[in-house]
Amino acid sequence: MGLADDVLDGLTRPFKELPPKHLYDARGSELFEAICSLPEYYPTRTERALLVEHADTIVGDAAELVELGAGSAAKTRVLLDTGRVRRFVPFDVSPTALDETLAAEYPQLDVLPVTGDFEADLDRIPGGRAGFPRLVAFLGGTIGNFLPGTRRGFLRGLAGTLGPDGRLLLGAGLITDVDVMEPAYDDAAGVTAAFNLNVLSVVNAELGADFDLSLFEHVAFFDPVNEWIEMRLRARRAHTVRVAALDLDVPFERGEELRTEISTKFTRERLEADFASAGLVLDAWYEDADARFALAVARVG
Ligand SMILES: C[S@@+](CC[C@H](N)C(=O)[O-])C[C@H]1O[C@@H](n2cnc3c(N)ncnc32)[C@H](O)[C@@H]1O
């Protein structure tokens, strides 16, 4: 669904919600890049260290790398540096110029960027090439943004993109100390708060809404029942927002919260169960010494 449908659907519910993909306009993508370098944001550096340690084994015989939610593909370079990948398909809802950026760095690499929504547009991934085993990467813990049932459906769809001899590489946050998880989504410098609030600017710009960002505060907490981090925006006082393009008035109570992202934290068992329901089997599992983040490699079983 596009932004207008998501706003109409999500802001007219008793518990308001917007899907996280709208956090990533050009400014949101920049802010996410900044988050990745924050001391509190352990997922990026932990995942990168795992990729560096296991890149050779992970890439194996893969000649094509498809990356969903690639962003700036910063960590992906670790896989490209093995020199074995000949074709790279970065897929993201936010348009990238990765073909130009990577051309200079990797002259032998064919880069075919796809702009699309991985929940709806997996059929935009170009057809595979004979003799080019495919590795589909989904890094950064983005798999955690799905609700459980949707996640299983999504993984089933992904299994269908792997092709013969293909494998899936999934980066997933693991359940760890709350004192470690929560600051990663609520940093001292306020970058994550700016990232979260930016979604309101996106609705203002795209749909002529009049959200006043100063009337909302960033909230992030671990929900131990659902085992996910939630990011929300809390109204500082009662007010009504007008969304001109939808002819919609959205009332907020004082203290009312709008959910903007969930980030599920996993156990190995839970991921294996998700894989099984999608017809996938675990091939390899790598996690850091503190068991905060894992890379799972799976194939069609
Ligand atoms: C958490 S960031 C991860 C970026 C990068 N892969 C990393 O590991 O640092 C999520 C990425 O997925 C993209 N994204 C989010 N929802 C998407 C969707 N529905 N379809 C395609 N891309 C999406 C965002 O634009 C962003 O680049």
PDB file of all heavy atoms in Angstrom, residues 264-295:
ATOM      1  N   THR A 264      11.365  -6.840  16.171  1.00  0.00           N
ATOM      2  CA  THR A 264      11.315  -8.100  16.908  1.00  0.00           C
ATOM      3  C   THR A 264      12.720  -8.599  17.203  1.00  0.00           C
ATOM      4  O   THR A 264      13.608  -8.497  16.344  1.00  0.00           O
ATOM      5  CB  THR A 264      10.567  -9.151  16.065  1.00  0.00           C
ATOM      6  OG1 THR A 264       9.307  -8.598  15.706  1.00  0.00           O
ATOM      7  CG2 THR A 264      10.364 -10.450  16.828  1.00  0.00           C
ATOM      8  N   LYS A 265      12.907  -9.125  18.400  1.00  0.00           N
ATOM      9  CA  LYS A 265      14.171  -9.761  18.767  1.00  0.00           C
ATOM     10  C   LYS A 265      13.909 -11.269  18.829  1.00  0.00           C
ATOM     11  O   LYS A 265      12.856 -11.705  19.310  1.00  0.00           O
ATOM     12  CB  LYS A 265      14.658  -9.225  20.119  1.00  0.00           C
ATOM     13  CG  LYS A 265      14.838  -7.702  20.131  1.00  0.00           C
ATOM     14  CD  LYS A 265      15.811  -7.214  19.059  1.00  0.00           C
ATOM     15  CE  LYS A 265      15.759  -5.716  18.861  1.00  0.00           C
ATOM     16  NZ  LYS A 265      16.463  -5.249  17.657  1.00  0.00           N
ATOM     17  N   PHE A 266      14.869 -12.027  18.323  1.00  0.00           N
ATOM     18  CA  PHE A 266      14.622 -13.444  18.051  1.00  0.00           C
ATOM     19  C   PHE A 266      15.404 -14.364  18.970  1.00  0.00           C
ATOM     20  O   PHE A 266      16.384 -13.975  19.606  1.00  0.00           O
ATOM     21  CB  PHE A 266      15.009 -13.758  16.602  1.00  0.00           C
ATOM     22  CG  PHE A 266      14.124 -13.083  15.591  1.00  0.00           C
ATOM     23  CD1 PHE A 266      14.397 -11.795  15.149  1.00  0.00           C
ATOM     24  CD2 PHE A 266      13.001 -13.725  15.089  1.00  0.00           C
ATOM     25  CE1 PHE A 266      13.574 -11.165  14.232  1.00  0.00           C
ATOM     26  CE2 PHE A 266      12.173 -13.111  14.162  1.00  0.00           C
ATOM     27  CZ  PHE A 266      12.466 -11.827  13.740  1.00  0.00           C
ATOM     28  N   THR A 267      14.959 -15.628  18.975  1.00  0.00           N
ATOM     29  CA  THR A 267      15.785 -16.729  19.444  1.00  0.00           C
ATOM     30  C   THR A 267      16.031 -17.594  18.204  1.00  0.00           C
ATOM     31  O   THR A 267      15.285 -17.503  17.218  1.00  0.00           O
ATOM     32  CB  THR A 267      15.053 -17.588  20.487  1.00  0.00           C
ATOM     33  OG1 THR A 267      13.854 -18.092  19.880  1.00  0.00           O
ATOM     34  CG2 THR A 267      14.711 -16.790  21.729  1.00  0.00           C
ATOM     35  N   ARG A 268      17.038 -18.430  18.291  1.00  0.00           N
ATOM     36  CA  ARG A 268      17.309 -19.329  17.167  1.00  0.00           C
ATOM     37  C   ARG A 268      16.094 -20.229  16.901  1.00  0.00           C
ATOM     38  O   ARG A 268      15.725 -20.461  15.745  1.00  0.00           O
ATOM     39  CB  ARG A 268      18.546 -20.166  17.495  1.00  0.00           C
ATOM     40  CG  ARG A 268      18.878 -21.169  16.423  1.00  0.00           C
ATOM     41  CD  ARG A 268      20.208 -21.825  16.704  1.00  0.00           C
ATOM     42  NE  ARG A 268      20.421 -22.921  15.798  1.00  0.00           N
ATOM     43  CZ  ARG A 268      21.603 -23.429  15.507  1.00  0.00           C
ATOM     44  NH1 ARG A 268      22.680 -22.938  16.046  1.00  0.00           N
ATOM     45  NH2 ARG A 268      21.725 -24.428  14.664  1.00  0.00           N
ATOM     46  N   GLU A 269      15.457 -20.689  17.959  1.00  0.00           N
ATOM     47  CA  GLU A 269      14.300 -21.591  17.808  1.00  0.00           C
ATOM     48  C   GLU A 269      13.187 -20.900  17.050  1.00  0.00           C
ATOM     49  O   GLU A 269      12.557 -21.479  16.176  1.00  0.00           O
ATOM     50  CB  GLU A 269      13.772 -22.021  19.197  1.00  0.00           C
ATOM     51  CG  GLU A 269      14.705 -22.927  19.976  1.00  0.00           C
ATOM     52  CD  GLU A 269      16.002 -22.240  20.432  1.00  0.00           C
ATOM     53  OE1 GLU A 269      15.969 -21.008  20.718  1.00  0.00           O
ATOM     54  OE2 GLU A 269      17.048 -22.899  20.478  1.00  0.00           O
ATOM     55  N   ARG A 270      12.956 -19.636  17.390  1.00  0.00           N
ATOM     56  CA  ARG A 270      11.849 -18.947  16.733  1.00  0.00           C
ATOM     57  C   ARG A 270      12.115 -18.761  15.234  1.00  0.00           C
ATOM     58  O   ARG A 270      11.250 -18.953  14.399  1.00  0.00           O
ATOM     59  CB  ARG A 270      11.603 -17.589  17.382  1.00  0.00           C
ATOM     60  CG  ARG A 270      10.346 -16.939  16.799  1.00  0.00           C
ATOM     61  CD  ARG A 270      10.290 -15.474  17.065  1.00  0.00           C
ATOM     62  NE  ARG A 270       9.813 -15.202  18.414  1.00  0.00           N
ATOM     63  CZ  ARG A 270       9.102 -14.124  18.740  1.00  0.00           C
ATOM     64  NH1 ARG A 270       8.759 -13.276  17.805  1.00  0.00           N
ATOM     65  NH2 ARG A 270       8.747 -13.905  19.960  1.00  0.00           N
ATOM     66  N   LEU A 271      13.367 -18.417  14.923  1.00  0.00           N
ATOM     67  CA  LEU A 271      13.696 -18.235  13.497  1.00  0.00           C
ATOM     68  C   LEU A 271      13.613 -19.556  12.747  1.00  0.00           C
ATOM     69  O   LEU A 271      13.125 -19.621  11.617  1.00  0.00           O
ATOM     70  CB  LEU A 271      15.087 -17.638  13.347  1.00  0.00           C
ATOM     71  CG  LEU A 271      15.146 -16.140  13.086  1.00  0.00           C
ATOM     72  CD1 LEU A 271      16.569 -15.712  12.835  1.00  0.00           C
ATOM     73  CD2 LEU A 271      14.270 -15.720  11.906  1.00  0.00           C
ATOM     74  N   GLU A 272      14.087 -20.620  13.390  1.00  0.00           N
ATOM     75  CA  GLU A 272      14.030 -21.928  12.721  1.00  0.00           C
ATOM     76  C   GLU A 272      12.582 -22.336  12.460  1.00  0.00           C
ATOM     77  O   GLU A 272      12.266 -22.911  11.416  1.00  0.00           O
ATOM     78  CB  GLU A 272      14.752 -22.984  13.552  1.00  0.00           C
ATOM     79  CG  GLU A 272      16.256 -22.890  13.375  1.00  0.00           C
ATOM     80  CD  GLU A 272      16.992 -24.119  13.883  1.00  0.00           C
ATOM     81  OE1 GLU A 272      17.350 -24.122  15.072  1.00  0.00           O
ATOM     82  OE2 GLU A 272      17.218 -25.051  13.094  1.00  0.00           O
ATOM     83  N   ALA A 273      11.700 -22.019  13.411  1.00  0.00           N
ATOM     84  CA  ALA A 273      10.279 -22.339  13.220  1.00  0.00           C
ATOM     85  C   ALA A 273       9.702 -21.511  12.068  1.00  0.00           C
ATOM     86  O   ALA A 273       8.925 -22.009  11.239  1.00  0.00           O
ATOM     87  CB  ALA A 273       9.510 -22.085  14.508  1.00  0.00           C
ATOM     88  N   ASP A 274      10.094 -20.244  11.991  1.00  0.00           N
ATOM     89  CA  ASP A 274       9.642 -19.393  10.876  1.00  0.00           C
ATOM     90  C   ASP A 274      10.142 -19.957   9.541  1.00  0.00           C
ATOM     91  O   ASP A 274       9.412 -20.014   8.556  1.00  0.00           O
ATOM     92  CB  ASP A 274      10.172 -17.959  11.032  1.00  0.00           C
ATOM     93  CG  ASP A 274       9.431 -17.178  12.101  1.00  0.00           C
ATOM     94  OD1 ASP A 274       8.390 -17.655  12.588  1.00  0.00           O
ATOM     95  OD2 ASP A 274       9.909 -16.081  12.452  1.00  0.00           O
ATOM     96  N   PHE A 275      11.406 -20.350   9.535  1.00  0.00           N
ATOM     97  CA  PHE A 275      11.972 -20.930   8.301  1.00  0.00           C
ATOM     98  C   PHE A 275      11.174 -22.170   7.894  1.00  0.00           C
ATOM     99  O   PHE A 275      10.795 -22.323   6.726  1.00  0.00           O
ATOM    100  CB  PHE A 275      13.443 -21.328   8.500  1.00  0.00           C
ATOM    101  CG  PHE A 275      14.414 -20.169   8.501  1.00  0.00           C
ATOM    102  CD1 PHE A 275      15.648 -20.270   9.139  1.00  0.00           C
ATOM    103  CD2 PHE A 275      14.122 -18.994   7.835  1.00  0.00           C
ATOM    104  CE1 PHE A 275      16.551 -19.211   9.135  1.00  0.00           C
ATOM    105  CE2 PHE A 275      15.020 -17.925   7.826  1.00  0.00           C
ATOM    106  CZ  PHE A 275      16.232 -18.043   8.485  1.00  0.00           C
ATOM    107  N   ALA A 276      10.941 -23.050   8.864  1.00  0.00           N
ATOM    108  CA  ALA A 276      10.246 -24.308   8.548  1.00  0.00           C
ATOM    109  C   ALA A 276       8.878 -24.026   7.931  1.00  0.00           C
ATOM    110  O   ALA A 276       8.483 -24.667   6.950  1.00  0.00           O
ATOM    111  CB  ALA A 276      10.103 -25.153   9.817  1.00  0.00           C
ATOM    112  N   SER A 277       8.193 -23.025   8.468  1.00  0.00           N
ATOM    113  CA  SER A 277       6.853 -22.730   7.936  1.00  0.00           C
ATOM    114  C   SER A 277       6.931 -22.133   6.532  1.00  0.00           C
ATOM    115  O   SER A 277       5.940 -22.080   5.820  1.00  0.00           O
ATOM    116  CB  SER A 277       6.103 -21.795   8.872  1.00  0.00           C
ATOM    117  OG  SER A 277       6.520 -20.472   8.650  1.00  0.00           O
ATOM    118  N   ALA A 278       8.100 -21.661   6.160  1.00  0.00           N
ATOM    119  CA  ALA A 278       8.277 -21.083   4.818  1.00  0.00           C
ATOM    120  C   ALA A 278       8.970 -22.069   3.875  1.00  0.00           C
ATOM    121  O   ALA A 278       9.365 -21.698   2.770  1.00  0.00           O
ATOM    122  CB  ALA A 278       9.105 -19.805   4.931  1.00  0.00           C
ATOM    123  N   GLY A 279       9.150 -23.317   4.321  1.00  0.00           N
ATOM    124  CA  GLY A 279       9.795 -24.326   3.476  1.00  0.00           C
ATOM    125  C   GLY A 279      11.298 -24.156   3.402  1.00  0.00           C
ATOM    126  O   GLY A 279      11.940 -24.601   2.446  1.00  0.00           O
ATOM    127  N   LEU A 280      11.881 -23.500   4.427  1.00  0.00           N
ATOM    128  CA  LEU A 280      13.335 -23.269   4.444  1.00  0.00           C
ATOM    129  C   LEU A 280      13.972 -24.062   5.578  1.00  0.00           C
ATOM    130  O   LEU A 280      13.335 -24.307   6.605  1.00  0.00           O
ATOM    131  CB  LEU A 280      13.620 -21.773   4.667  1.00  0.00           C
ATOM    132  CG  LEU A 280      13.193 -20.832   3.542  1.00  0.00           C
ATOM    133  CD1 LEU A 280      13.162 -19.387   4.044  1.00  0.00           C
ATOM    134  CD2 LEU A 280      14.159 -20.945   2.357  1.00  0.00           C
ATOM    135  N   VAL A 281      15.227 -24.436   5.400  1.00  0.00           N
ATOM    136  CA  VAL A 281      15.963 -25.072   6.496  1.00  0.00           C
ATOM    137  C   VAL A 281      17.244 -24.287   6.759  1.00  0.00           C
ATOM    138  O   VAL A 281      17.840 -23.721   5.841  1.00  0.00           O
ATOM    139  CB  VAL A 281      16.342 -26.553   6.199  1.00  0.00           C
ATOM    140  CG1 VAL A 281      15.128 -27.438   6.239  1.00  0.00           C
ATOM    141  CG2 VAL A 281      17.098 -26.671   4.894  1.00  0.00           C
ATOM    142  N   LEU A 282      17.635 -24.298   8.028  1.00  0.00           N
ATOM    143  CA  LEU A 282      18.829 -23.570   8.430  1.00  0.00           C
ATOM    144  C   LEU A 282      20.072 -24.329   7.970  1.00  0.00           C
ATOM    145  O   LEU A 282      20.204 -25.520   8.208  1.00  0.00           O
ATOM    146  CB  LEU A 282      18.824 -23.435   9.958  1.00  0.00           C
ATOM    147  CG  LEU A 282      19.877 -22.539  10.567  1.00  0.00           C
ATOM    148  CD1 LEU A 282      19.642 -21.085  10.171  1.00  0.00           C
ATOM    149  CD2 LEU A 282      19.856 -22.665  12.096  1.00  0.00           C
ATOM    150  N   ASP A 283      20.956 -23.599   7.315  1.00  0.00           N
ATOM    151  CA  ASP A 283      22.212 -24.172   6.818  1.00  0.00           C
ATOM    152  C   ASP A 283      23.360 -23.839   7.767  1.00  0.00           C
ATOM    153  O   ASP A 283      24.247 -24.642   7.992  1.00  0.00           O
ATOM    154  CB  ASP A 283      22.523 -23.502   5.472  1.00  0.00           C
ATOM    155  CG  ASP A 283      22.736 -24.497   4.381  1.00  0.00           C
ATOM    156  OD1 ASP A 283      22.442 -25.681   4.587  1.00  0.00           O
ATOM    157  OD2 ASP A 283      23.217 -24.066   3.309  1.00  0.00           O
ATOM    158  N   ALA A 284      23.346 -22.595   8.253  1.00  0.00           N
ATOM    159  CA  ALA A 284      24.432 -22.136   9.131  1.00  0.00           C
ATOM    160  C   ALA A 284      23.911 -21.022  10.024  1.00  0.00           C
ATOM    161  O   ALA A 284      22.985 -20.293   9.644  1.00  0.00           O
ATOM    162  CB  ALA A 284      25.597 -21.613   8.292  1.00  0.00           C
ATOM    163  N   TRP A 285      24.521 -20.923  11.193  1.00  0.00           N
ATOM    164  CA  TRP A 285      24.113 -19.913  12.191  1.00  0.00           C
ATOM    165  C   TRP A 285      25.362 -19.316  12.805  1.00  0.00           C
ATOM    166  O   TRP A 285      26.227 -20.045  13.293  1.00  0.00           O
ATOM    167  CB  TRP A 285      23.266 -20.601  13.272  1.00  0.00           C
ATOM    168  CG  TRP A 285      22.834 -19.737  14.411  1.00  0.00           C
ATOM    169  CD1 TRP A 285      23.494 -19.539  15.596  1.00  0.00           C
ATOM    170  CD2 TRP A 285      21.630 -18.973  14.503  1.00  0.00           C
ATOM    171  NE1 TRP A 285      22.770 -18.700  16.411  1.00  0.00           N
ATOM    172  CE2 TRP A 285      21.615 -18.336  15.769  1.00  0.00           C
ATOM    173  CE3 TRP A 285      20.548 -18.760  13.626  1.00  0.00           C
ATOM    174  CZ2 TRP A 285      20.577 -17.504  16.183  1.00  0.00           C
ATOM    175  CZ3 TRP A 285      19.514 -17.935  14.046  1.00  0.00           C
ATOM    176  CH2 TRP A 285      19.531 -17.326  15.309  1.00  0.00           C
ATOM    177  N   TYR A 286      25.492 -18.016  12.760  1.00  0.00           N
ATOM    178  CA  TYR A 286      26.641 -17.343  13.373  1.00  0.00           C
ATOM    179  C   TYR A 286      26.107 -16.294  14.334  1.00  0.00           C
ATOM    180  O   TYR A 286      25.261 -15.488  13.937  1.00  0.00           O
ATOM    181  CB  TYR A 286      27.492 -16.638  12.301  1.00  0.00           C
ATOM    182  CG  TYR A 286      27.852 -17.513  11.115  1.00  0.00           C
ATOM    183  CD1 TYR A 286      27.152 -17.394   9.912  1.00  0.00           C
ATOM    184  CD2 TYR A 286      28.890 -18.431  11.197  1.00  0.00           C
ATOM    185  CE1 TYR A 286      27.475 -18.189   8.820  1.00  0.00           C
ATOM    186  CE2 TYR A 286      29.218 -19.229  10.106  1.00  0.00           C
ATOM    187  CZ  TYR A 286      28.509 -19.105   8.924  1.00  0.00           C
ATOM    188  OH  TYR A 286      28.823 -19.879   7.847  1.00  0.00           O
ATOM    189  N   GLU A 287      26.614 -16.281  15.553  1.00  0.00           N
ATOM    190  CA  GLU A 287      26.215 -15.211  16.473  1.00  0.00           C
ATOM    191  C   GLU A 287      27.439 -14.698  17.209  1.00  0.00           C
ATOM    192  O   GLU A 287      28.452 -15.397  17.317  1.00  0.00           O
ATOM    193  CB  GLU A 287      25.119 -15.683  17.439  1.00  0.00           C
ATOM    194  CG  GLU A 287      25.551 -16.755  18.411  1.00  0.00           C
ATOM    195  CD  GLU A 287      24.421 -17.203  19.348  1.00  0.00           C
ATOM    196  OE1 GLU A 287      23.270 -17.361  18.910  1.00  0.00           O
ATOM    197  OE2 GLU A 287      24.730 -17.400  20.538  1.00  0.00           O
ATOM    198  N   ASP A 288      27.355 -13.453  17.717  1.00  0.00           N
ATOM    199  CA  ASP A 288      28.494 -12.858  18.418  1.00  0.00           C
ATOM    200  C   ASP A 288      28.597 -13.470  19.817  1.00  0.00           C
ATOM    201  O   ASP A 288      27.662 -14.122  20.295  1.00  0.00           O
ATOM    202  CB  ASP A 288      28.320 -11.334  18.484  1.00  0.00           C
ATOM    203  CG  ASP A 288      27.092 -10.945  19.291  1.00  0.00           C
ATOM    204  OD1 ASP A 288      25.980 -11.323  18.883  1.00  0.00           O
ATOM    205  OD2 ASP A 288      27.245 -10.312  20.342  1.00  0.00           O
ATOM    206  N   ALA A 289      29.724 -13.201  20.471  1.00  0.00           N
ATOM    207  CA  ALA A 289      30.001 -13.818  21.780  1.00  0.00           C
ATOM    208  C   ALA A 289      28.979 -13.404  22.832  1.00  0.00           C
ATOM    209  O   ALA A 289      28.706 -14.158  23.763  1.00  0.00           O
ATOM    210  CB  ALA A 289      31.411 -13.434  22.229  1.00  0.00           C
ATOM    211  N   ASP A 290      28.388 -12.220  22.677  1.00  0.00           N
ATOM    212  CA  ASP A 290      27.383 -11.766  23.658  1.00  0.00           C
ATOM    213  C   ASP A 290      25.971 -12.196  23.274  1.00  0.00           C
ATOM    214  O   ASP A 290      25.005 -11.798  23.940  1.00  0.00           O
ATOM    215  CB  ASP A 290      27.414 -10.233  23.779  1.00  0.00           C
ATOM    216  CG  ASP A 290      28.738  -9.748  24.346  1.00  0.00           C
ATOM    217  OD1 ASP A 290      29.270 -10.420  25.246  1.00  0.00           O
ATOM    218  OD2 ASP A 290      29.252  -8.711  23.868  1.00  0.00           O
ATOM    219  N   ALA A 291      25.838 -12.928  22.173  1.00  0.00           N
ATOM    220  CA  ALA A 291      24.529 -13.414  21.701  1.00  0.00           C
ATOM    221  C   ALA A 291      23.518 -12.270  21.544  1.00  0.00           C
ATOM    222  O   ALA A 291      22.390 -12.348  21.996  1.00  0.00           O
ATOM    223  CB  ALA A 291      23.985 -14.501  22.641  1.00  0.00           C
ATOM    224  N   ARG A 292      23.960 -11.203  20.853  1.00  0.00           N
ATOM    225  CA  ARG A 292      23.068 -10.055  20.618  1.00  0.00           C
ATOM    226  C   ARG A 292      22.521 -10.036  19.201  1.00  0.00           C
ATOM    227  O   ARG A 292      21.485  -9.411  18.930  1.00  0.00           O
ATOM    228  CB  ARG A 292      23.825  -8.754  20.860  1.00  0.00           C
ATOM    229  CG  ARG A 292      24.187  -8.553  22.307  1.00  0.00           C
ATOM    230  CD  ARG A 292      24.982  -7.279  22.477  1.00  0.00           C
ATOM    231  NE  ARG A 292      25.279  -7.050  23.885  1.00  0.00           N
ATOM    232  CZ  ARG A 292      26.037  -6.067  24.324  1.00  0.00           C
ATOM    233  NH1 ARG A 292      26.588  -5.231  23.465  1.00  0.00           N
ATOM    234  NH2 ARG A 292      26.255  -5.912  25.612  1.00  0.00           N
ATOM    235  N   PHE A 293      23.255 -10.640  18.290  1.00  0.00           N
ATOM    236  CA  PHE A 293      22.854 -10.563  16.882  1.00  0.00           C
ATOM    237  C   PHE A 293      23.293 -11.846  16.180  1.00  0.00           C
ATOM    238  O   PHE A 293      24.311 -12.435  16.546  1.00  0.00           O
ATOM    239  CB  PHE A 293      23.531  -9.354  16.205  1.00  0.00           C
ATOM    240  CG  PHE A 293      22.803  -8.871  14.981  1.00  0.00           C
ATOM    241  CD1 PHE A 293      21.849  -7.866  15.068  1.00  0.00           C
ATOM    242  CD2 PHE A 293      23.047  -9.440  13.729  1.00  0.00           C
ATOM    243  CE1 PHE A 293      21.156  -7.440  13.944  1.00  0.00           C
ATOM    244  CE2 PHE A 293      22.357  -9.013  12.607  1.00  0.00           C
ATOM    245  CZ  PHE A 293      21.419  -8.006  12.707  1.00  0.00           C
ATOM    246  N   ALA A 294      22.506 -12.281  15.198  1.00  0.00           N
ATOM    247  CA  ALA A 294      22.865 -13.513  14.487  1.00  0.00           C
ATOM    248  C   ALA A 294      22.739 -13.337  12.984  1.00  0.00           C
ATOM    249  O   ALA A 294      21.921 -12.555  12.488  1.00  0.00           O
ATOM    250  CB  ALA A 294      21.950 -14.656  14.937  1.00  0.00           C
ATOM    251  N   LEU A 295      23.570 -14.083  12.281  1.00  0.00           N
ATOM    252  CA  LEU A 295      23.405 -14.251  10.836  1.00  0.00           C
ATOM    253  C   LEU A 295      22.963 -15.687  10.620  1.00  0.00           C
ATOM    254  O   LEU A 295      23.627 -16.615  11.080  1.00  0.00           O
ATOM    255  CB  LEU A 295      24.740 -14.027  10.114  1.00  0.00           C
ATOM    256  CG  LEU A 295      25.261 -12.595  10.052  1.00  0.00           C
ATOM    257  CD1 LEU A 295      26.647 -12.580   9.401  1.00  0.00           C
ATOM    258  CD2 LEU A 295      24.307 -11.697   9.261  1.00  0.00           C
TER     259      LEU A 295
END
